[in-house]
Amino acid sequence: MPRRDCRRLGVFVPRQPGESAMSMMLRAFQANGVAYQEGMQWLGLDRRQALVDSDVVALAWALHAEVDDVRRRMVLLEWRGGGRWVHLAGQRLSRWIAPTTMLAKLCPECLREAGYARLVWLTRAVPGCCRHGYSLLQECGGCHRPVRWARPGLRICQCGRYFKPAVDGRLLEPEVRAWIGWAEAVLQDDVAAAQDAIGGLPPLLHNMTLDGAYRMIEAFGLLKAPGDPVRDVRHSSAKLPEVGAMVVRGLQRLWDIGLARDVAPKAFDVVHLPVLRELADEPAAEGDGQRAAWLLDLHRATRPTGQHRVGARPRRQMPLFL
């Protein structure tokens, strides 16, 4: 029983595979005739702040759900990580990649067909829907305001209109669809599907976590050309088609490198080194940091210094590549 005095919602809403907890909550509110803001106040939740475990227990009680199941479906802050890390679906992710404010983006076709919002939409690593081939929707086509969780229903904007696919929606590139397919399999803990999907990604990303792989793609894809600014793409307000274009650039450049046995020095001209250093210094898993650090060593070893260097090799030896 949760610590706060919380009643269960009267109408039970069955959970769906791959559904986010926010979607479960909004569907339950709608089924019980409770407005979103009223329901949040009733549960004592404030989505402007990161949830604590007692909040998860209270939410699970109200939804007639198992606590561990609800916990996996939410972005929860890792308190021992100094606010830097979150957990989602068993994955340790940078708070930049999966904000605790719960990103509200969606695929109108998925909502119409399945009737629920997918858990993978809670992360910036998934900018589109590989089922329907378009970028996810960030704003309503009617009122042009950002999509919020505080709305009458899953398919209805706060302005009262049904969400519709963007008129000028551009089909996702094959590289983006391959990436999203693997990311969804990882977040859904589908090991077999993830193993099949990883074959469509560059070898340098194999055996990395979702967090490490996405930040590696950022390092190689943020710059359109050497010296370009990256704030527009890495800012929280970045449009999802721009994020998709970044993923395409990063994957294409990583494919060009291959297994990184003989990386040409010019390959690092379009690498955003601050992100690579960040990944080396603060990885979600040790293997991610080793791979980033190895690339940084390789960059230093191949960087022109004005002196003839013989036999210079990275200090860290990665058995996968060397």
Side-chain angles (χ1 to χ4, degrees), residues 269-293:
D269 292 344
V270 289
V271 175
H272 189 57
L273 293 175
V275 173
L276 200 59
R277 294 190 189 101
E278 175 190 274
L279 178 57
D281 294 338
E282 295 185 275
E286 184 178 356
D288 298 343
Q290 289 178 344
R291 196 157 304 180

Side-chain angles (χ1 to χ4, degrees), residues 201-240:
L201 299 180
L204 199 59
L205 300 181
H206 294 193
N207 300 313
M208 297 189 76
T209 68
L210 176 59
D211 177 90
Y214 183 71
R215 287 201 279 164
M216 184 71 76
I217 289 174
E218 279 192 322
F220 279 81
L222 282 171
L223 298 180
K224 295 180 181 179
D228 279 359
V230 301
R231 179 171 174 79
D232 290 343
V233 180
R234 219 186 186 218
H235 194 269
S236 60
S237 63
K239 300 296 183 183
L240 292 178

Side-chain angles (χ1 to χ4, degrees), residues 293-320:
W294 187 86
L295 283 171
L296 289 170
D297 281 347
L298 185 60
H299 166 63
R300 283 188 288 267
T302 57
R303 184 173 53 188
T305 62
Q307 299 179 355
H308 182 64
R309 304 180 66 176
V310 178
R313 296 299 301 168
R315 293 191 302 274
R316 300 171 181 86
Q317 301 297 300
M318 293 289 290
L320 181 62

